[in-house]
Amino acid sequence: MKNADIIIIGAGAAGLMAARLLTQAGKKVLVLEARNRAGGRIHTVSDDAVGHIELGAEFIHGDLPVTLELLDKAGIKYNHAGGEMWHFRDGKFSVGDEEMDGWDKLMDCLNQLKEDLSISSFLQDYFPHEKYQPLKKSVLRFVAGYDSANPDKASAFALREEWQNEDNGAQHRLEGGYGLMIDYLVKEIENHGGAIQFESAVKSVDHSTGTVTAINGSVYEADKVLIALPLGILQLPAGNPGAIEIKPSIKEHQFALQQIGFGAIVKVLLKFDEVFWEQIGGHDLSNMGFILSEERIPTWWTQVPKHQPILTGWLGGPVAKEYEHAPDEELFEYAIKALSNIFGISYEEIESKLVAHYVVNWTVDEYTRGSYAYDTTTSVKAREVLNNSIDNKLFFAGEYLYSGPSMGTVEAALTSGKKAAESILRV
């Protein structure tokens, strides 16, 4: 007996956005989610003192149309998340964007590039001289950190589009956290007759008959199935305990899934009993939004313009992948050592100020297996395949299917979910 018109596998932003639109269109929708909560890589936890802490997605990176329209409809407020950019290098603080000698030439060369190649190859081919080593180091570090990407695979074309469309002045945080957006989507789905079933990890999907079945011990049947899982799960080799088996095999789509990059990330959140870093070594850091360093956990940010006692550490890209199986305690120690070195305060003193801490290694999270997608030189063709359904029965959605300057963001996930729902409604 058919359980729904459409089964959606995954209750992250993409799956929930699709479910909202499909239920609004009168479709009977069942969402199957492996976790005991909705949101996926959005995970807001409540805190009595500061209100909320974001273990996953935190920022709105720009004036992004789909995200902001959804928040406006939900009545969720968002605030500017600006602040100064600081650097700590060789024992010294500096403020402002780093002057990168050769950046204008780099963008000129990127704009003239006719055939795509990895950003590492691009830098090697166009900037081989020793004088450009600082530029290359900065670019590669940014690609690994911000995009959580492997520079040996990341597309120069995609990075060119991202850098041409940057608007560092239009950064926002949700007042109350991204969890409010997830709660809104869940309520919208349920109010329109949809259902979300948690702790329901789907192991296989069978599309061999007129309907599609999703199996997780129980068997669920629908006219169509939308797979809205993280790319890291879909890239798992067959036989891996977390992999999803699709029968009959969809070899072209499975090959395409491997052609898009999926990064690695470690996020460390530290809550202290006071904001101790605003006056350090004669420097006024009270408006510091970010500080970049050479430490093992190199990137840190505050809650500016709010003066809350929270520091967030960030390690991305291939280096984060190296710590895939590092114990949380080891990563926590790296974080404290990093702050000790940056602020010139003993490890013991910083630890004594600590009230709570969270280490989130998304790379080993069993339902994610990484951070977010980035474009490789083969991603464009891969998305052309993945955006096509299999016999109008099996569809895909996820931030990895987004094409544009906001790759790897909540905007990308919401946009993909919206497009997937529209595709399903057309057939």
Side-chain angles (χ1 to χ4, degrees):
M1 180 177 177
K2 189 175 74 169
N3 299 88
D5 298 323
I6 301 137
I7 290 173
I8 296 177
I9 304 173
L16 294 176
M17 184 67 163
R20 170 179 174 262
L21 296 173
L22 290 167
T23 55
Q24 286 178 341
K27 300 296 183 181
K28 184 180 179 182
V29 176
L30 172 63
V31 181
L32 299 176
E33 167 56 44
R35 301 181 192 272
N36 61 2
R37 61 173 180 84
R41 282 163 282 173
I42 292 174
H43 190 192
T44 306
V45 296
S46 60
D47 184 281
D48 292 339
V50 298
H52 69 276
I53 293 176
E54 299 283 28
L55 303 188
E58 183 168 345
F59 296 96
I60 304 171
H61 297 285
D63 292 327
L64 305 178
V66 178
T67 302
L68 298 186
E69 180 184 10
L70 180 63
L71 296 179
D72 289 342
K73 284 184 178 179
I76 298 171
K77 296 180 180 180
Y78 46 92
N79 303 309
H80 178 61
E84 294 171 343
M85 177 72 73
W86 282 78
H87 304 268
F88 180 78
R89 181 171 299 148
D90 299 326
K92 297 178 180 179
F93 288 96
S94 61
V95 64
D97 292 333
E98 283 187 317
E99 293 293 333
M100 285 194 284
D101 185 30
W103 179 259
D104 290 342
K105 180 180 177 182
L106 181 143
M107 290 306 299
D108 286 342
C109 292
L110 275 176
N111 289 331
Q112 294 172 26
L113 199 62
K114 302 301 182 186
E115 294 186 9
D116 199 6
L117 69 167
S118 75
I119 193 65
S120 290
S121 296
F122 166 78
L123 291 171
Q124 187 61 40
D125 292 350
Y126 286 83
F127 298 87
H129 302 300
E130 182 66 25
K131 69 176 182 177
Y132 290 118
Q133 285 303 312
L135 172 69
K136 290 196 287 187
K137 183 179 179 181
S138 293
V139 170
L140 295 175
R141 183 172 57 188
F142 183 82
V143 170
Y146 184 81
D147 297 283
S148 78
N150 184 339
D152 293 336
K153 298 179 180 180
S155 160
F157 276 5
L159 290 167
R160 177 179 67 187
E161 182 177 11
E162 175 189 317
W163 295 338
Q164 287 174 338
N165 289 276
E166 279 184 321
D167 186 357
N168 293 326
Q171 303 295 312
H172 314 282
R173 282 191 181 94
L174 280 71
E175 190 174 302
Y178 262 116
L180 295 178
M181 185 191 79
I182 296 300
D183 291 344
Y184 171 76
L185 289 172
V186 169
K187 289 177 182 177
E188 283 280 286
I189 293 162
E190 293 175 343
N191 288 342
H192 286 87
I196 303 175
Q197 187 168 306
F198 297 109
E199 297 181 322
S200 299
V202 173
K203 303 299 182 183
S204 65
V205 173
D206 190 327
H207 61 105
S208 60
T209 64
T211 57
V212 190
T213 56
I215 302 168
N216 65 352
S218 300
V219 178
Y220 302 88
E221 186 176 353
D223 296 326
K224 306 179 192 305
V225 166
L226 172 62
I227 298 176
L229 295 172
L231 182 61
I233 298 298
L234 299 176
Q235 289 181 337
L236 289 173
N240 187 289
I244 181 169
E245 181 183 13
I246 299 176
K247 301 179 291 188
S249 175
I250 50 172
K251 292 182 178 179
E252 186 181 15
H253 285 67
Q254 288 168 332
F255 177 78
L257 288 166
Q258 303 297 328
Q259 305 308 302
I260 302 173
F262 197 64
I265 214 73
V266 173
K267 189 175 184 181
V268 183
L269 300 102
L270 306 176
K271 179 187 173 186
F272 297 95
D273 58 7
E274 63 175 341
V275 181
F276 65 85
W277 54 84
E278 292 193 344
Q279 303 295 326
I280 295 288
H283 297 283
D284 181 3
L285 306 181
S286 59
N287 194 37
M288 179 180 71
F290 285 80
I291 186 164
L292 307 181
S293 73
E294 301 288 341
E295 300 296 323
R296 281 192 176 179
I297 308 293
T299 301
W300 292 86
W301 63 78
T302 69
Q303 296 294 305
V304 164
K306 293 182 179 180
H307 297 271
Q308 295 177 333
I310 296 173
L311 289 173
T312 301
W314 181 266
L315 175 68
V319 180
K321 183 69 174 177
E322 293 175 10
Y323 292 111
E324 182 174 7
H325 301 295
D328 286 355
E329 188 60 31
E330 179 182 340
L331 296 167
F332 168 73
E333 289 179 3
Y334 291 152
I336 300 298
K337 287 178 181 177
L339 295 182
S340 175
N341 292 337
I342 291 170
F343 296 128
I345 300 174
S346 71
Y347 185 106
E348 292 75 18
E349 184 177 353
I350 289 182
E351 194 172 31
S352 71
K353 296 177 179 294
L354 200 61
V355 174
H357 72 275
Y358 305 84
V359 177
V360 194
N361 192 345
W362 287 102
T363 309
V364 293
D365 181 278
E366 64 177 321
Y367 300 125
T368 302
R369 306 296 181 96
S371 56
Y372 41 83
Y374 64 90
D375 269 350
T376 67
T377 58
T378 55
S379 292
V380 173
K381 289 184 178 180
R383 279 197 294 269
E384 290 176 358
V385 173
L386 294 166
N387 281 320
N388 289 321
S389 70
I390 294 92
D391 299 328
N392 289 331
K393 292 190 295 183
L394 197 58
F395 299 77
F396 289 88
E399 47 89 14
Y400 65 94
L401 291 177
Y402 170 88
S403 180
S406 299
M407 188 81 174
T409 63
V410 175
E411 173 80 1
L414 295 173
T415 300
S416 176
K418 179 181 178 181
K419 288 185 175 180
E422 291 168 350
S423 296
I424 290 171
L425 292 172
R426 282 197 297 267
V427 296

